[in-house]
Amino acid sequence: MKYLKYKLFVLILGLMITSCSNWLEMNPINQTTSEGFWINENAAEQTLAGAYALLRKALLNNGGETFLTYGELNGTTFKHKDQTDTEKFVDGSFWNPNMGEFQWANFYKITAQCNLILLKAAELDVSLFKNGEKGKQKILGEAYFLRAFTYFYMVKVWGDVPLVITSLQNVSEVITKDGAVLNVPRDPEAKVLEQCISDLKLAESYLVYGTEGSDEWAVRANKGTVEALMAHIYLWMHKSAEAELAADAVITKGGYSLVDYSDSLAVEGMFTGRSSEGILELNSRFDQSESIVDGITNRTVYHPWIYNKKEEGGTWVVQKEYMSSLYEENDLRLKRFFGFWNQERPIILKYAQVIYENPALHLNPHGNNNIILLRLSDIILLRAEALQNLGRAVEATTLLNTIRNRAMATPFAGADSDLKLAIFQEREMELIGEGHNYFDRIRSDEWSDISWMTSTRKGLKGYYWPIAASYITNNPKLTQQSYWATKVW
Amino acid sequence: MENRCNFLVIFLKSICFSGFSHRVRRKGILLLFIVAQVIGTSTYAMAQQVTVKGTVKDQKGEPLIGVTVQIKGTTQGAPTDLDGNFALTNVPANASLVFTYIGMQTQTVNINARTQINVRMVGLTTNIDDVVVVGYQVIKRSNSTASISSIQAKDIENTPAPSFEHLLQGKLAGVNIQALSGAPGSKNTFMIRGNTALTTNIGDQATAGLSNPLYVLDGIPTTLEDLAGYDATSTNFLATMNIDDIESIDILKDASAAAIYGSRGANGVVIIKTKKGRIGEPVFTFNAFTGVSNAPDLIPVETGIAERHAKYDLINNYWDRSNFPTGADNTRSWKNNIPLILSDSLNPAFNNNVNYQAMFYRPAKIMNYDFGVSGGTEKTNYRVNFGYYDEDGIVTNTGFKRYSLSVNLGVKLSDRLENQTIIRIGYVDRKTGLGNSSSKWGTFPIDPLNMNSSLLYLSDAERAAFLGQYSNLRNININLNTSVSNDLRFRIAKGLYLNNTIGVGINTTKKDFFTPASLNSDGETFAEYTWTGNKSATIDTYLSYTKEIGKMHAFNALFGNSVNYNQNEYLQTGGRGAASDQVKTVTGLDRNKMWGGSDFSENGMLSYWGRLGYRLKERYMIDLNFRTDGSSRFGKNSRWGYFPAISGGWIFSEESFVKEHLPWLNYGKLRGSWGINGKQFSGDYERFNSYTTGDASYGGAGNRPVTTYNGVKVVIPNFSKISNDDLSWEKSTQWSVGMDLELLNRRLTMTPEVYNRETTNLLFNVNFPIETGYSNSQANVAGVRNYGYELSLTGYLFKPGQDFQWQIDFNVARNYNQVTKLPNGNRDWQSNNRSLTVGLPMNQYFMMQNTGKVYSTNADIPVNPYTGKLMDILYNGTIKVGTYEWVDTNGDHQIIKDINLPGSDARIVEGKDPNPKFIGGLTNTFTYKRWSLRVLSSFVAGRTIFNATLLGRLQNLGQGGYDNWANHSMPVLSGMNYWRKPGDVAEFATMYPGGNYNSMAEQTRWLEDGSYLKINNLTLSYNFDAIKLKTISLKYLRLYAMLDNVAMFQKFTGPDAERVGADGADYGGGYANPKKVTFGINVKF
């Protein structure tokens, strides 16, 4: 008996020796991880919202104007006042090879997010979705759309870009055990665009047309959005017939209608967002706490639109000399789109819907403007361009004049040979400040007003943006754009 | 799934959570009770049979108090009394007595039926008979096959610093300890046998990029990785421990010793044991010291009218355009537009000496008191010690206070069962000045390298706050560390023991910070409160067995299991815009001006380990160690790691042929080891693919957080971390061969040693292909090798027994550091002008190469033969006269410094890296009778460092902007040969006030030899005669005076070659290491 207590004691000590390996399964409670996240429709909705947010981040980067830097700063519509760095964009010489604008990381975050959704949401059971199969297809369709939109945008900026359509889930997929990094080279533009088209075809079959006034109108993709993008991509690929069909579908079935330019409030409403004309907008509304604080609004307008703000070095102004040569004097758009038109430095008012946190004291201004990426008049003019390419000048002129009539401008009645330029210029006038001009130039090979675009440069596709030097250092498979590779910085 | 573990989980968690406080309280009361009892009844009555009496004296014939006298093979024994007398009853006539006393050689005396035995004990001239602590065991040093450096309490006591490692500097071969900051309680480096911390970003943290060992405090293993990331105060973890509580420190340097700590032992193991009570009547100890630290030398600046003249001189010189045939800045001629501050000759700020640096500094006091009682009987031992340490920093409003309590209680429950409980509590209150305590510059309100020349531009409030005396400022940093360890030993059979150790540590840190509205640029109050808690529990259960067969064979076996659980919590809340400066907490604020959050993470480890040892004739020895660790931190494909080690030893001095031929060799052991260790990383959930919720921010939204898109909360991946199923420990394979030698009647001992440590699978932040969306992620893909040799020598220049003694301890270590593997096909990694390159040491300098010359005239500037123009400096036009000459390394006739560009001229600076090649130390101890003088010095040689101080000062001068330049403080240029006009052959480039490449960081101009010799410490002490002390009822009395940080000999032209981080940049603008003078007393009664 004497030793019994010792035996018991040894037994208890023995119990402390454990052999259970579950002890090592400790899961975090301070973060969401891939292992516990994908359990319901909400996960799909939130990651999809993440993809849109990443798109917003990529296009409203830096001071919130990347979409204009890429899309318009190298064109003829805009200029950035007194800023050495960006003047170098305007004059086409660029600055140094490590500018943030030369980096595409933000865009690949969007595609990575889409790839993730297309992998993980696809694995979710249909029964988890409120609307069953339809609900799931809606998520996937939008993800396909966003991936295509992003790749197409990158193609417009850089031409050939690496195409990655699988979702990275583990380090070992990129870094081998002995530390080799599996880098990828740039893929030809055509291959990337083919992928975009095949994504969009899936998206088109998964999505339905939208309803004006719904929560998601214009700020989320629907079938009309998909077809609008298709029209853009086809035309970029010089497939005018396909482009025309897609644009026609948007116009006739998408449920969109043109805003009345004679009503100034309606125009302001269009730029606030979700108008009958909006096809794709980046949501940035004040009432949803997503508004612009120091972005494009601050960049483009000042007092009286932003109380007591002065014009300063960072303010973007319209290239008046060029733009005033396009507009007729009684064009409604002069009144609706511009401030100080009669002065030396006009500004655009497309982002001037300012709301103050403290309205009484005019404190803390916010720009309550959605950023319009696609809208009906863009698609109408795009269809006109496609028709013109196809030799259907009459139909093209009708469409062109739809837009001109709305602006109270004289209908186009020129020769067929002038039609192409007229459509191009109409897009400049209609879409100024919406980030289209430079891409329109590349698409339609229209460089007559750009002195720095020499034929040599054009031949080397020198209209594409350089790739950040640090990317090339990091990834030996990446090659610099041929024009920029030979250029001494 | 969970139920199999429930017992353990509940047990461990119950220790960590609520149950703990009750336990502590109950145990505390119990302890006090037992201590009181023990003091009251110090001896047990025993049945009398035969009595042995005697006296124990030392070599000088003075009685030794408290020598343990024990009957061999039993636990029966008694201590000697105040006169050195002992009496043992009930002693078998044929027994032997064992006399043990710290610092003396143990003696065994056969009784041979005598009743009176007098013993004279001899001081240790050797450490061979010492014991060393290896993992889970204490063994005789002569029996050890591993490479272990040891430090005893007497070597570190009375350190005028908050943590013990301060005095280890230069004392241990191969251990690099550097004080990177003089701020009391800040972290020091503690690197054993070279650096393995390969990092892509050395960053602002002074201790970043330096590897750290595993600390085992009374059996509780802790790494800085365990504690990392959850630390509000940045206080040195080791500083929470009272140095007076430390009995011994053993540093396991090689793989065989550290293998038993498996996945955490790769960078060495530091085992710290605290003091226990010894058998004997209660001994009260009182230690006290007090002293002052002196303010450092100030950074030289021009002041008053001299500054004004110097600035005028520069303006006149550089804007007198006749001096510049070409290349002068003619667009902004300042000469005709002198800043008002300079032209206003009546301005007192520019006429009088307004060098206000001294206002930051002060002479500061240091105080330390330790008071304790210890003692014991055959059945119990106890020690209770209270400590108070208070050091004011030399920078105003900095300082360190520690209150510590340790209770150590052993009870022998029966002849089979023993229990030892140790409780330690350390409370640290640290003042860190104005700034962020973790930054290397953070203590100062104004960066001393980049300051205004006067305080003219500051508001009264700012000025007051800069001095840290602003009554409304609040910056409180508290660390409260509590640890309890309980060690239970049960004898199952002869030689076979079952052991159980439970260690629980609770470490909390707190920062309570407030700045009033007037100090903040937005004009609002700022308050932030951060709390972190780390709880850990370790249970070790193990069997140990020793068996001797005759005199020939001795076996030793150990097998155990270890369960470890760590938990970290974090809580922060902050806000701005209180209605009044009076409100210093986060209270009553606008909801959108508040922030906060909490965090929780945990990790668990499960391990099995063992050791098998065999000794043949106490001469040939072999040990096998192994450990296997499973950790929750690692990827599912590499959850378990295996860490074997083998070591052997041969005491060749026991061989007859050695005895015959080498009579001067008293002892010689050859030993060697090979093994594998690991090191964990700090993140608990690195292996997971984590998503970020609510990050919908975008450039145009300003600083306002946006969390939704179209009202839907967004979820995106964490793009700098991806799941990794193979994520694993860093692995070190190390061999080591060494000798322990004692020569010339043991008056010279030496330990030469060579080692090679290959660290592979190092965690490295790999740049991801951008096309994946991810920017980077951690992976085990890099490698580093450290190899080298070490030598320790101890010599006694005079024969033992003489009045004058001179002991010399010297050690030196040479470490070769080499990067062996990098990701992406071993591609170089360059950042911050440092390069990681396979085959070269870590953090090799990578920068523009200066020729050492300055372009004297325009004719000296090379011409680009393609263009016919002067050579280009990219983006900045052509090279100007008066600038440094750079080597056009690739011969393309232009100078390109951007390392990303093709044609970049930055290159690896061959043979120059920030890693110390030689480190070592020399300690001289002189004793004359009762006087003793110890001089401790340390040195570093073969290190190239980057003079960030000089650079910072010159950058300050070149600071762009016109008024800025006029306001900024001015380095003293008078001793500097700088270029003023064409034709000057100068050492420094033009001091052109507009700013140019002269103060560009990425050039070799700033590299200097970082070797130094430092006299760390000088201690003079006097030990009073114990017999005389008896008349005043004292047992021991020692008085001493100490000088700390005595002198520094360096080639480096900056302030301090020691305060240099892993990247080689000096911290001259940081917190200087103060010189200290202290006086102290040690009393026992």
Side-chain angles (χ1 to χ4, degrees), chain B residues 487-499:
Chain B
D487 204 349
L488 196 66
R489 205 161 108 105
F490 176 65
R491 182 163 59 83
I492 300 170
K494 187 165 183 277
L496 180 63
Y497 289 88
L498 177 62
N499 302 267

Side-chain angles (χ1 to χ4, degrees), chain A residues 18 20 22 30 169 179 274 473, chain B residues 1 5 599 710 723 824 827:
Chain A
T18 172
C20 71
N22 295 339
N30 61 349
Q169 290 297 304
R274 301 177 191 232
T473 322
Chain B
M1 218 168 91
C5 310
D599 197 7
N710 196 26
S723 68
N824 213 352
R827 283 190 50 200

Side-chain angles (χ1 to χ4, degrees), chain B residues 254-409:
Chain B
D254 71 353
S256 76
I260 204 124
Y261 291 103
S263 64
R264 295 187 282 183
N267 291 321
V269 181
V270 179
I271 303 182
I272 298 162
K273 279 194 107 72
T274 55
K275 287 173 183 161
K276 285 199 271 193
R278 290 203 197 91
I279 293 177
E281 62 179 67
V283 176
F284 294 88
T285 54
F286 176 72
N287 302 320
F289 64 76
T290 182
V292 286
S293 325
N294 296 314
D297 297 336
L298 304 181
I299 292 171
V301 291
E302 292 281 16
T303 54
I305 197 147
E307 177 183 357
R308 208 156 68 84
H309 286 162
K311 285 184 173 170
Y312 256 113
D313 176 54
L314 290 183
I315 292 177
N316 286 331
N317 182 55
Y318 289 107
W319 274 281
D320 184 354
R321 297 199 51 238
S322 62
N323 279 341
F324 291 83
T326 61
D329 182 345
N330 52 12
T331 55
R332 284 173 292 173
S333 176
W334 295 1
K335 200 185 169 189
N336 303 320
N337 193 10
I338 302 287
L340 185 66
I341 185 84
L342 291 180
S343 58
D344 176 10
S345 61
L346 297 178
N347 184 347
F350 262 129
N351 282 312
N352 304 321
N353 183 344
V354 287
N355 182 3
Y356 56 90
Q357 280 184 81
M359 292 163 76
F360 299 145
Y361 299 109
R362 60 175 180 191
K365 69 176 194 315
I366 310 170
M367 278 192 285
N368 181 68
Y369 301 101
D370 296 305
F371 183 67
V373 58
S374 67
T377 67
E378 286 160 38
K379 297 272 183 190
T380 58
N381 66 68
Y382 59 90
R383 179 177 183 273
V384 180
N385 196 46
F386 172 75
Y388 170 67
Y389 180 87
D390 182 356
E391 176 178 351
D392 282 341
I394 51 168
V395 176
T396 317
N397 207 31
T398 64
F400 179 97
K401 274 198 186 95
R402 177 183 59 219
Y403 305 85
S404 65
L405 175 69
S406 70
V407 179
N408 197 330
L409 180 71

Side-chain angles (χ1 to χ4, degrees), chain A residues 3 6 9-10 12-35 37-38 45-47 49-54 56-57 60-64 95-98 104-105 108-109 111-113 116 120 151 162 164 168-172 174-184 215-216 219-220 274 281-284 288-296 357 366 469-476 478 488-489, chain B residues 1-2 4-5 7-9 11-12 230 413-414 416-417 488 490 492 498-500 502 539 541 561 563-565 599-606 608 630-633 639-640 685 687-693 695-702 704-717 719 721-726 766-775 777-781 821-825 827 829 874-875 894 898-902:
Chain A
Y3 290 110
Y6 291 130
F9 172 74
V10 171
I12 288 170
L13 280 189
L15 273 176
M16 290 189 182
I17 299 179
T18 172
S19 63
C20 71
S21 55
N22 295 339
W23 172 244
L24 303 179
E25 284 297 337
M26 289 194 181
N27 292 314
I29 61 161
N30 61 349
Q31 54 186 287
T32 315
T33 67
S34 55
E35 289 170 30
F37 178 71
W38 293 95
E45 278 290 342
Q46 289 175 329
T47 43
Y52 281 103
L54 287 169
R56 180 171 63 190
K57 186 174 186 161
L60 302 181
N61 197 20
N62 293 345
W95 177 225
N96 79 50
N98 286 316
W104 56 43
Y108 278 103
K109 289 190 170 128
T111 57
Q113 178 84 354
L116 175 72
K120 291 288 188 178
Y151 271 116
V164 177
L168 182 65
Q169 290 297 304
N170 203 307
V171 164
S172 59
V174 176
I175 299 170
T176 63
K177 276 209 162 163
D178 60 359
V181 178
L182 307 175
N183 281 308
V184 288
D215 279 354
E216 299 184 348
V219 297
R220 296 267 298 262
R274 301 177 191 232
E281 299 169 0
L282 292 172
N283 195 60
S284 41
Q288 289 169 312
S289 298
E290 297 173 22
S291 49
I292 298 158
V293 176
D294 182 30
I296 186 70
E357 270 181 49
H366 288 243
S470 60
Y471 285 13
I472 295 168
T473 322
N474 259 324
N475 176 357
L478 224 49
V488 178
W489 287 94
Chain B
M1 218 168 91
E2 284 233 336
R4 276 172 60 213
C5 310
F7 170 74
L8 188 73
V9 173
F11 181 77
L12 282 175
Y230 294 87
L413 297 161
S414 76
R416 281 171 171 263
L417 193 59
L488 196 66
F490 176 65
I492 300 170
L498 177 62
N499 302 267
N500 174 265
I502 298 177
I539 303 177
T541 311
N561 157 271
V563 186
N564 178 263
Y565 174 76
D599 197 7
F600 174 93
S601 83
E602 58 182 355
N603 69 74
M605 225 171 90
L606 180 63
Y608 303 92
S631 166
S632 68
R633 283 175 170 167
R639 188 65 44 93
W640 287 88
Y685 304 127
R687 67 189 171 97
F688 287 97
N689 227 348
S690 68
Y691 296 155
T692 307
T693 54
D695 178 12
S697 61
Y698 64 96
R704 204 174 49 123
V706 180
T707 60
T708 56
Y709 180 81
N710 196 26
V712 181
K713 190 80 133 188
V714 310
V715 174
I716 56 174
F719 284 112
K721 183 164 95 56
I722 178 95
S723 68
N724 188 341
D725 293 341
D726 301 312
V766 182
N767 266 1
F768 264 42
I770 288 140
E771 302 72 40
T772 60
Y774 288 79
S775 49
S777 190
Q778 308 260 28
N780 299 91
V781 291
K821 190 162 182 297
L822 288 171
N824 213 352
R827 283 190 50 200
W829 174 278
L874 203 65
Y875 312 137
Q894 54 179 355
D898 188 326
I899 62 168
N900 279 318
L901 291 188

Side-chain angles (χ1 to χ4, degrees), chain B residues 220-237:
Chain B
I220 309 178
T222 307
T223 63
L224 296 186
E225 283 77 24
D226 288 337
L227 303 169
Y230 294 87
D231 177 5
T233 61
S234 294
T235 297
N236 183 353
F237 168 71

Side-chain angles (χ1 to χ4, degrees), chain A residues 55-243:
Chain A
L55 178 65
R56 180 171 63 190
K57 186 174 186 161
L59 293 181
L60 302 181
N61 197 20
N62 293 345
E65 75 270 333
T66 18
F67 76 105
L68 276 193
T69 310
Y70 289 127
E72 215 153 327
L73 204 55
N74 293 349
T76 35
T77 47
F78 250 108
K79 72 179 172 204
H80 199 309
K81 187 199 159 202
D82 296 337
Q83 285 219 329
T84 346
D85 290 15
T86 29
E87 266 170 18
K88 298 278 181 181
F89 294 145
V90 178
D91 70 16
S93 66
F94 296 81
W95 177 225
N96 79 50
N98 286 316
M99 299 289 295
E101 285 82 355
F102 301 170
Q103 302 181 1
W104 56 43
N106 279 336
F107 291 95
Y108 278 103
K109 289 190 170 128
I110 314 166
T111 57
Q113 178 84 354
C114 294
N115 292 337
L116 175 72
I117 297 166
L118 292 173
L119 175 77
K120 291 288 188 178
E123 287 169 1
L124 290 179
D125 196 85
V126 173
S127 63
L128 293 171
F129 290 86
K130 270 197 306 286
N131 295 333
E133 187 67 34
K134 284 268 163 237
K136 184 172 170 178
Q137 283 184 349
K138 183 170 181 305
I139 299 283
L140 297 178
E142 287 185 65
Y144 277 121
F145 166 80
L146 282 169
R147 186 165 78 181
F149 184 92
T150 308
Y151 271 116
F152 177 53
Y153 202 94
M154 282 196 280
V155 162
K156 289 191 289 184
V157 177
W158 289 284
D160 300 346
V161 293
L163 178 67
V164 177
I165 53 169
T166 51
S167 176
L168 182 65
Q169 290 297 304
N170 203 307
V171 164
S172 59
E173 294 162 33
V174 176
I175 299 170
T176 63
K177 276 209 162 163
D178 60 359
V181 178
L182 307 175
N183 281 308
V184 288
R186 294 164 69 193
D187 286 299
E189 190 178 318
K191 182 181 168 192
V192 179
L193 294 177
E194 282 304 331
Q195 180 63 44
C196 294
I197 292 294
S198 85
D199 280 355
L200 288 177
K201 283 186 174 156
L202 276 171
E204 190 181 22
S205 68
Y206 283 170
L207 296 174
V208 295
Y209 290 112
T211 318
E212 195 192 336
S214 82
D215 279 354
E216 299 184 348
W217 178 256
V219 297
R220 296 267 298 262
N222 59 39
K223 194 170 181 174
T225 325
V226 171
E227 287 162 348
L229 181 61
M230 267 174 137
H232 261 287
I233 296 179
Y234 276 131
L235 203 58
W236 187 271
M237 297 165 85
H238 304 296
K239 294 186 172 176
S240 298
E242 288 90 336

Side-chain angles (χ1 to χ4, degrees), chain B residues 851-873:
Chain B
T851 62
K853 285 190 277 186
V854 169
Y855 288 117
S856 174
T857 64
N858 250 6
D860 296 333
I861 302 174
V863 170
N864 183 341
Y866 297 105
T867 61
K869 289 192 283 191
L870 296 183
M871 201 140 107
D872 259 358
I873 290 190

